[in-house]
Amino acid sequence: MDWMGSLFLPGGALLFLSVVSTTLPARLGMPLLLVSPANVLDRAAEALAIAAFLMLVARPPAVFGGLWKFNYSLREKAYISWLGLAEPCRFRR
């Protein structure tokens, strides 16, 4: 891959995710903010509990299930399952 592809693909993926996350709620008639800024602290415990569940419980089995037929070692699968959203754009085998 040339330098242009290595610069464009991660930026393009981030741009696509940004566009989808802002236009899809508008298209479905959902408010862009699900909580008003004045009520953020009231919902902080719920938000942190949901985020912790998604990161610690839901993401690892989903990644292991998605990578079951590839030749990654258990250590590599564990590493991939704990990465953030932007990292899969750069992680190539």
Side-chain angles (χ1 to χ4, degrees):
M1 182 178 301
D2 61 349
W3 66 272
M4 186 60 145
S6 64
L7 292 176
F8 176 75
L9 290 178
L14 181 61
L15 179 64
F16 176 75
L17 288 173
S18 300
V19 169
V20 167
S21 65
T22 55
T23 57
L24 189 60
R27 179 118 176 139
L28 296 176
M30 295 170 48
L32 193 56
L33 295 175
L34 297 177
V35 63
S36 66
N39 297 333
V40 168
L41 292 179
D42 297 337
R43 301 287 184 168
E46 289 177 45
L48 290 175
I50 292 170
F53 175 79
L54 290 174
M55 287 188 304
L56 301 174
V57 178
R59 184 177 167 95
V63 170
F64 275 74
L67 295 176
W68 70 273
K69 65 179 179 177
F70 296 102
N71 291 328
Y72 289 110
S73 68
L74 181 63
R75 186 174 178 174
E76 289 173 324
K77 289 179 185 178
Y79 177 70
I80 294 169
S81 70
W82 295 109
L83 292 178
L85 290 176
E87 196 61 32
C89 297
R90 297 185 326 185
F91 188 78
R92 295 187 198 104
R93 186 159 172 98

